[in-house]
Amino acid sequence: MTDTAREEILARINEALGRRGGGEYVSSTPGSSAPANGAGAANGADTASAEVTATAADSGYHHEGTHTGEDLVELLIDRLVDYKANVHRASGDPSETIAQLIGAHGSVVVPTGLDSSWLAGFSGGIRVDAPGEELSVDDLDAQGGVVTASAVAIAQTGTIVLDGSDECGRRAITLVPDHHVCVVRTRDIVDIVPEGIARLDAHAPLTFISGPSATSDIELSRVEGVHGPRTLDVIILSD
């Protein structure tokens, strides 16, 4: 890249961020704008221009989405399927769907706060991962799968967020087993990322999941299950 091209790119970035060429942020307060050399604005037109530049980066930023109701749910499903997750619908009680999904497993792990009625139809063993009684990595690896709830689901990006709460569990239990069954309540689905972030505790151990674990780092060949579960089943639970 030539110096001229680099300078042009940096100038465009500075302009988009509301900064002058020297990297100084442009004030949007009338009369307070000043170039890097300390000289004041030449006239009112320069000040007005600075105000426009300073707010340009924020002008197109959306804090709320436009999808609602079933359209919102369908958008999430579309994104999840595109990421190769398996999506199921349930109303009120997901126990039958969960039993069908994990029925072949000898045992599964669940977080301590998961609704026990959700596993009413499962005849295998249930290992509870609780504070002070955390399962070892070997124990987790021996489980056929893990069942959790979720904190938030972001439709636009097809992302499910776990927050380490009692019904989501600690991160390890959703990374080691090869099969993750995750329940997403429709009331926890939002349209865009800012809406999702606004619902979350920034101090919580957040895990963002967009489809089952996969990588194409080696010869561009997709391999699943490298960094987490090979299979992700998402149950959309209507209230």
Side-chain angles (χ1 to χ4, degrees), residues 80-95:
L80 289 171
V81 171
D82 190 49
Y83 282 141
K84 300 186 183 303
N86 305 312
V87 183
H88 316 268
R89 300 290 297 266
S91 180
D93 178 14
S95 60

Side-chain angles (χ1 to χ4, degrees), residues 94 98-99 101-102 105 107-115 118-119 122 126-127 143-150 162 166-169 173-174 177 179-183 233 235:
I98 291 175
L101 294 173
I102 63 175
H105 299 320
S107 64
V108 296
V109 59
V110 299
T112 184
L114 192 75
D115 189 336
W118 289 2
L119 296 171
F122 178 57
I126 300 173
R127 301 292 303 274
Q143 305 309 307
V146 55
V147 182
T148 73
S150 58
L162 310 182
D166 287 346
E167 63 177 8
C168 291
I173 70 172
T174 59
H179 182 196
H180 183 189
V181 177
C182 186
V183 178
D233 280 296
I235 300 175

Side-chain angles (χ1 to χ4, degrees), residues 17-20 23-36 41 44-56:
L17 294 175
R19 296 191 294 199
R20 296 192 183 279
E24 178 190 1
Y25 278 94
V26 179
S27 171
S28 60
T29 303
S32 64
S33 177
D46 289 344
T47 302
S49 176
E51 293 176 9
V52 173
T53 303
T55 59

Side-chain angles (χ1 to χ4, degrees), residues 209-229:
I209 302 171
S210 296
S213 171
T215 182
S216 299
D217 291 342
I218 302 175
E219 297 183 352
L220 299 181
S221 178
R222 180 183 173 92
V223 179
E224 298 179 349
V226 177
H227 309 296

